[in-house]
Amino acid sequence: MEHFDAIVIGSGISGGWAAKELCEQGLKTLVLERGRDVEHIKDYPTMTMDPWDFEHRGRMTKKFYEENPLITRASGFGEDTAHFFIKDTDHPYVQDKPFDWIRGYQVGGKSLIWGRACQRWSDYEFKAPEKYNYGIGWPIDYNDIAPWYSHVEKFIGVCGNKDGIEAMPDGEFLPPFELNCVEEHMKSTLEEHFSGRYLAQGRWAHLSEPEQTHLDQGRGKCLCRNKCMRGCPFGGYFSSNTSTLPWAEKTGNLTIRPFSVVHSIVYDEDSGKASGVKVIDSNTKEEFIFSARIIFVNASALNSNLILLNSKSDRFPNGLGNDYDLLGRYIGFHIYRARAGAKISGYEDKYYYGSRPSECIIANYRNLKEQDTDFLGGYTIFTGAYRNRAEEIPDEKPHLGADFKHKLSKPGNWQIYMYMQGETIPKASNRVYLSQDKTDDWGIPLLVTDVGYDENDEKMIKDFLVESRRMLEKMGCTDIDTQDNNQAPGLDIHEMGGVRMGKDPETSLLNKYNQMHECKNVFVTDGACMTSTGNQSPSILYMALTARAATYAAAQFKKGLL
């Protein structure tokens, strides 16, 4: 047994922030990571490779696809990024209903492969579930979290415009990337023909123009290579590996232990608190118990649920803090099923520079001040315009010779795409739980996912398909195609809930500081803590909640209250 002031389970986006804040407050902090170590730059093997350097030109072998039908569907997965994703057979789980659980186990977690969108929630998202009776009330509102959004944005670096959009509040931004000519046309069309609909350049975690705090982290300007998920040697986008973990390490208070599969949190019946964390070394299968006065659970939403469900004791036979059968329930996700695409003529004399790593956003325009549809919640639309890499070449013509080469170098038509990121309604029936008869390689019960779509989701998808077509028609597009791909939940990689925040211990597991109602020295600040899903990309909210909770926990620790 080794003792620390604090233990953080997980080294990803929220775990890295917990480590940074706790270490800065002087707490000796242990970060437990179930995967391998990843060192910035040194462990980015494909970061500077060209397409022709890859044996399969970015694809995987047929055998690999057959052996990994799940992970190969993940956004951003390919020959250039496979080293940051798990393999299906290494980490099985049980699906009561189809659910694609995307994971990356290494120091840095999925912060190395995240999408990097950083919209703030508005107060609508905090108030809507209770106002419209589709969920419990959040114990905080926008004013509570706004200063922590600013705290995080300044440190990680978020580019964007101050657009004055009520549904997507402004933040502390670096200069935005530019809209291209067609995106400017899209923006003006929405303003002219669709009241309340706004297209903005995306708020993205990229250093468009680094400030001193970013240079102090050893990071540099984003060069618009758009090879982010390989690992960025310049630190141009935020990850735990480039930012929070090295910052925590500089304090001298950080210990990182990779290859550490967390079995459970150990509960002390006498003190009424958690006393430590039981760990199994992933290589040797040796068991350890590390003790601490504060424990932060940041293993990513579903793994955090798994750990807490497996943390059983005489006091909590159904999982830590689970007095009211809430743990593992009210799992949410984002709807990514529907998209639209179209061609637009003109602008052939214009192009754009670089491979911009961000997208445009049409902020949510549904059910804001009042419910104006037959469904609850809202949706963000990610969108943008681009040119094909080359004009279309008929298959019957030979693909060789000087004429073919010249055609390849001539840009093709402009096209526009849109896809939705929709809010889902928390329901007790959407849940995860532990298998009674199946375990993993370390003897831990497998997680069972029982999560699906509902009628509200279907209505929202239908609305997006109708409205995206209307907007594209007004923009003057042709060959408009809208589709629902009917993918299973999970590929959005935004799983949330199961250990939700709330005001009442009988309806929630965490208080307004992400502290367990029934076990005060355990905090949960990753996606598991979410009371509802909102429509915005959630990672920056996890970071803000984590910074707020860690500051509170450190203050309680110094007062001797934890």
Side-chain angles (χ1 to χ4, degrees):
M1 180 181 289
E2 294 184 55
H3 183 76
F4 295 84
D5 296 326
I7 294 174
V8 178
I9 302 172
S11 63
I13 277 178
S14 61
W17 264 95
K20 171 192 175 292
E21 299 295 312
L22 294 168
C23 288
E24 281 187 315
Q25 292 289 335
L27 277 67
K28 296 294 183 182
T29 303
L30 171 66
V31 172
L32 297 169
E33 169 55 52
R34 69 179 292 150
R36 64 188 175 94
D37 193 14
V38 169
E39 184 179 330
H40 177 51
I41 300 180
K42 173 179 173 289
D43 293 318
Y44 303 159
T46 63
M47 60 186 177
T48 59
M49 291 173 63
D50 289 309
W52 51 86
D53 293 327
F54 293 95
E55 182 179 1
H56 307 105
R57 301 299 186 265
R59 302 281 290 171
M60 306 299 286
T61 64
K62 181 180 179 182
K63 180 181 179 183
F64 191 94
Y65 284 111
E66 290 172 348
E67 292 176 347
N68 297 275
L70 165 62
I71 203 66
T72 51
R73 293 200 294 271
S75 175
F77 181 90
E79 193 175 19
D80 57 339
T81 60
H83 49 284
F84 290 145
F85 291 85
I86 67 159
K87 292 182 179 178
D88 292 357
T89 54
D90 291 344
H91 302 280
Y93 63 104
V94 181
Q95 301 178 56
D96 266 2
K97 296 175 184 173
F99 188 93
D100 296 333
W101 187 12
I102 307 302
R103 289 161 287 170
Y105 292 152
Q106 61 262 324
V107 169
K110 295 197 294 292
S111 77
L112 289 163
I113 50 175
W114 68 306
R116 307 172 306 284
C118 288
Q119 311 137 274
R120 289 189 180 198
W121 276 33
S122 72
D123 210 37
Y124 294 125
E125 283 72 54
F126 289 102
K127 300 289 178 58
E130 190 170 31
K131 178 180 178 180
Y132 298 124
N133 197 32
Y134 66 87
I136 64 170
W138 278 79
I140 60 172
D141 60 22
Y142 178 74
N143 290 330
D144 292 316
I145 201 65
W148 297 99
Y149 270 131
S150 295
H151 176 68
V152 167
E153 287 162 346
K154 290 175 183 176
F155 190 79
I156 70 173
V158 176
C159 60
N161 269 319
K162 290 186 181 291
D163 298 292
I165 301 171
E166 193 174 12
M168 195 170 69
D170 294 328
E172 310 292 336
F173 296 147
L174 303 173
F177 294 109
E178 294 181 354
L179 299 177
N180 63 43
C181 57
V182 174
E183 290 163 351
E184 291 284 5
H185 166 71
M186 296 165 62
K187 178 180 172 71
S188 61
T189 301
L190 289 180
E191 291 172 355
E192 180 179 357
H193 296 285
F194 296 91
S195 177
R197 300 190 191 186
Y198 305 99
L199 182 144
Q201 181 49 274
R203 288 88 187 265
W204 242 253
H206 281 264
L207 300 182
S208 56
E209 292 293 341
E211 296 182 345
Q212 189 59 49
T213 186
H214 310 123
L215 299 176
D216 291 344
Q217 295 170 41
R219 299 168 62 198
K221 181 182 175 73
C222 171
L223 299 185
C224 292
R225 303 184 318 141
N226 200 20
K227 297 175 180 173
C228 313
M229 289 188 182
R230 300 181 183 186
C232 178
F234 312 105
Y237 76 93
F238 167 78
S239 71
S240 298
N241 308 64
T242 61
S243 183
T244 47
L245 291 177
W247 196 265
E249 193 168 22
K250 285 194 288 188
T251 68
N253 294 323
L254 178 68
T255 301
I256 301 178
R257 192 182 196 281
F259 302 110
S260 300
V261 178
V262 172
H263 175 278
S264 56
I265 294 170
V266 181
Y267 181 77
D268 181 70
E269 305 280 348
D270 295 329
S271 67
K273 296 178 181 178
S275 60
V277 177
K278 180 179 177 180
V279 170
I280 302 172
D281 187 287
S282 65
N283 295 318
T284 67
K285 307 292 178 68
E286 187 177 2
E287 293 185 3
F288 299 87
I289 292 179
F290 298 99
S291 65
R293 285 169 55 187
I294 294 173
I295 297 170
F296 267 70
V297 185
N298 300 93
S300 83
L302 298 193
N303 270 325
S304 291
N305 276 274
L306 189 159
I307 290 165
L308 292 168
L309 285 164
N310 202 43
S311 300
K312 299 178 180 181
S313 61
D314 290 341
R315 168 68 181 85
F316 296 112
N318 299 312
L320 187 62
N322 193 23
D323 284 343
Y324 298 98
D325 190 26
L326 297 170
L327 185 59
R329 295 189 179 274
Y330 300 99
I331 299 295
F333 54 94
H334 275 150
I335 305 169
Y336 265 65
R337 274 171 38 185
R339 57 185 61 242
K343 294 179 180 179
I344 185 166
S345 60
Y347 309 97
E348 278 82 8
D349 60 336
K350 296 180 175 65
Y351 202 67
Y352 46 86
Y353 174 77
S355 297
R356 189 183 67 195
S358 64
E359 296 179 285
C360 305
I361 290 173
I362 299 175
N364 176 43
Y365 50 83
R366 288 306 198 201
N367 300 325
L368 294 171
K369 295 180 180 178
E370 59 185 21
Q371 187 177 345
D372 51 23
T373 68
D374 63 349
F375 59 85
L376 297 162
Y379 54 85
T380 286
I381 297 174
F382 290 105
T383 185
Y386 64 97
R387 295 193 77 169
N388 287 333
R389 293 192 178 190
E391 67 176 33
E392 294 182 10
I393 302 170
D395 288 336
E396 63 270 14
K397 291 193 174 183
H399 289 188
L400 49 84
D403 184 56
F404 172 66
K405 292 179 182 178
H406 289 311
K407 286 182 180 295
L408 282 178
S409 65
K410 183 179 179 180
N413 296 323
W414 283 94
Q415 301 200 27
I416 295 173
Y417 69 90
M418 295 180 179
Y419 64 93
M420 72 179 293
Q421 179 176 278
E423 181 174 0
T424 54
I425 307 307
K427 301 184 295 295
S429 57
N430 271 350
R431 62 175 186 145
V432 295
Y433 58 95
L434 300 183
S435 172
Q436 297 298 308
D437 57 358
K438 295 182 176 66
T439 59
D440 63 18
D441 287 347
W442 302 279
I444 299 171
L446 296 186
L447 193 70
V448 183
T449 58
D450 185 7
V451 179
Y453 295 105
D454 62 18
E455 184 181 4
N456 197 76
D457 302 329
E458 302 299 334
K459 289 179 178 179
M460 186 183 292
I461 290 166
K462 181 179 179 181
D463 185 77
F464 166 81
L465 293 172
V466 170
E467 294 303 312
S468 60
R469 180 175 288 275
R470 285 185 63 220
M471 289 185 280
L472 290 168
E473 287 173 346
K474 280 294 183 184
M475 292 169 188
C477 293
T478 60
D479 299 321
I480 299 171
D481 176 54
T482 60
Q483 58 181 270
D484 174 2
N485 64 20
N486 291 299
Q487 69 186 33
L491 283 181
D492 54 286
I493 322 182
H494 290 174
E495 54 269 12
M496 299 176 236
V499 198
R500 64 182 180 175
M501 299 171 70
K503 303 167 188 174
D504 184 349
E506 293 190 12
T507 58
S508 63
L509 289 119
L510 308 173
N511 68 13
K512 65 180 180 179
Y513 291 109
N514 296 78
Q515 181 181 29
M516 294 202 84
H517 291 303
E518 305 300 336
C519 191
K520 298 294 187 182
N521 64 333
V522 174
F523 296 77
V524 183
T525 63
D526 62 10
C529 77
M530 297 289 279
T531 309
S532 58
T533 72
N535 63 84
Q536 299 90 338
S537 296
S539 296
I540 194 168
L541 179 54
Y542 304 163
M543 293 188 251
L545 290 169
T546 301
R548 181 175 181 267
T551 300
Y552 171 81
Q556 295 290 297
F557 175 91
K558 292 174 182 178
K559 293 176 183 177
L561 300 176
L562 290 178

